[in-house]
Amino acid sequence: MNADQKGARRALGRGLDALLPAAPPATATAAEGRSVFVCAIEKIVPQKGQPRQHFDETELEELTGSIREHGLIEPLIVRRTQAGNDAFELIAGERRWRAAQRAGLREVLVVVKDVSPKEAFELALVENVQRADLNPIEIAEAFDRLLREHSYTHQTLAERVGKDRTTIVNSLRLLRLPPRIRTMVISRELSEGHARALLGAPSDKVMADVAERTVHGKLPVRKVEALIKAAKEKELRAAESEEPGEKKRGGKSPAIKDLEARLARRLGTRVEVRDEGGHGELGITYGSLDELDRIIALLGA
């Protein structure tokens, strides 16, 4: 292997490097049994529910032009489907597959891996994360799916995808964003840093208002954090100035209810505040030890 080939292998990242064989079999003469060969593009289908859901049209057109001029340099990673050896499902490379079709390619080089659908999804996630091809919401949704379908703990998932456990927890928090703000993150109007700052908002209305101001004014993350902090201080002052007699008979004051809602949004679970004249108890609900571990991590304990 020459220096260029070694450099290309390194550039693929640890996930894909583990997928690629050292060299194609020298004696294989048919698709069956081979791990590397040229495949008709119509025999390849995208992975169902793959991590990447959004493709930038401009970037796709640029890649199409490059493939049209230079061909598809890097192979696609696929798995055989139950339909038979002539049908293949993409594990990694859907953007290249789409661009190759647009460029008019009839055949592409593929690397075949014998993995289960769940393993294929995990490999696709690792490949996309290492390439930074997924937006923050897609990453969070993929992490959530792996936790649910593979029964991973946050620590196990972090080890599987090569990330710190805190990174996993912070990513999953993005799934608590309202749909409109999620869309802003997907379209890159808001960065992940903006989104995480917005999660500290005292209410969904404040969150939406600050998000709109951020997009229209192209505000930096620090400014968003300052706006959220000011909104929280304003609500706190309003709650402190509330007369005791305003508390509903047999119920909780609006300030306490709002505090419970903010804590629940921050921690991703039900929270109860039991206040008696400025002192009381805080109850945090968790459904499993793993969820407790997540809450403790959010509290910084």
Side-chain angles (χ1 to χ4, degrees):
M1 179 182 293
N2 60 38
D4 289 341
Q5 290 173 318
K6 290 180 179 178
R9 286 287 298 280
R10 284 195 298 270
L12 292 174
R14 178 169 54 82
L16 270 187
D17 203 43
L19 293 177
L20 293 172
T27 58
T29 59
E32 184 176 359
R34 282 196 286 174
S35 58
V36 181
F37 63 94
V38 174
C39 178
I41 201 167
E42 67 268 15
K43 293 183 178 180
I44 303 172
V45 297
Q47 183 181 158
K48 294 180 180 178
Q50 74 123 336
R52 185 169 187 171
Q53 301 295 322
H54 305 276
F55 297 85
D56 183 272
E57 186 64 25
T58 301
E59 293 179 355
L60 196 56
E61 280 301 320
E62 290 175 353
L63 180 58
T64 299
S66 175
I67 291 176
R68 190 175 288 122
E69 181 175 354
H70 303 291
L72 186 63
I73 297 174
E74 190 176 327
L76 306 178
I77 311 300
V78 300
R79 59 182 288 269
R80 288 185 173 87
T81 68
Q82 293 181 347
N85 290 325
D86 287 338
F88 301 92
E89 181 183 72
L90 274 169
I91 295 176
E94 181 169 344
R95 191 167 68 99
R96 281 171 282 140
W97 173 74
R98 289 175 178 238
Q101 288 181 307
R102 292 189 180 194
L105 269 61
R106 296 180 178 275
E107 297 179 323
V108 290
L109 184 65
V110 300
V111 175
V112 182
K113 296 301 296 182
D114 294 324
V115 294
S116 69
K118 286 187 177 181
E119 291 170 327
F121 179 82
E122 183 177 315
L123 291 172
L125 173 60
V126 171
E127 194 262 354
N128 278 287
V129 167
Q130 290 180 350
R131 290 172 174 272
D133 277 350
L134 300 180
N135 66 59
I137 299 300
E138 288 174 326
I139 292 176
E141 291 173 342
F143 286 162
D144 181 62
R145 178 176 167 185
L146 286 173
L147 288 171
R148 288 184 288 103
E149 296 185 3
H150 291 224
S151 300
Y152 287 153
T153 64
H154 289 85
Q155 183 60 44
T156 304
L157 176 58
E159 293 170 357
R160 294 292 290 174
V161 300
K163 296 289 183 180
D164 185 83
R165 187 173 67 87
T166 303
T167 300
I168 302 295
V169 172
N170 286 332
S171 177
L172 291 168
R173 289 180 60 217
L174 298 180
L175 298 181
R176 300 205 300 273
L177 291 168
R180 169 60 183 146
I181 297 179
R182 281 201 199 189
T183 300
M184 290 178 174
V185 177
I186 291 170
S187 64
R188 301 179 185 176
E189 295 176 279
L190 294 174
S191 69
E192 182 175 359
H194 287 121
R196 288 169 62 178
L198 288 168
L199 282 168
S203 67
D204 285 351
K205 183 180 184 305
V206 171
M207 187 187 298
D209 290 345
V210 175
E212 293 293 343
R213 289 181 61 183
T214 301
V215 172
H216 292 146
K218 298 182 178 179
L219 304 180
V221 174
R222 293 290 186 189
K223 179 63 176 177
V224 175
E225 292 173 341
L227 290 172
I228 295 298
K229 181 180 179 181
K232 291 166 72 173
E233 291 175 346
K234 181 180 179 180
E235 290 214 358
L236 180 61
R237 287 194 298 270
E240 289 174 345
S241 64
E242 185 179 79
E243 293 297 329
E246 294 179 8
K247 185 173 182 180
K248 292 182 178 180
R249 184 182 301 276
K252 297 178 180 178
S253 70
I256 293 298
K257 288 183 178 181
D258 181 67
L259 178 59
E260 288 179 334
R262 284 189 284 134
L263 287 171
R265 185 166 57 249
R266 174 69 175 82
L267 299 177
T269 187
R270 187 171 68 84
V271 176
E272 182 181 2
V273 177
R274 295 180 285 274
D275 177 72
E276 292 293 338
H279 58 85
E281 299 177 343
L282 178 67
I284 302 175
T285 302
Y286 61 91
S288 66
L289 291 179
D290 191 47
E291 185 175 9
L292 176 61
D293 188 44
R294 176 186 66 79
I295 294 170
I296 290 173
L298 286 173
L299 294 173

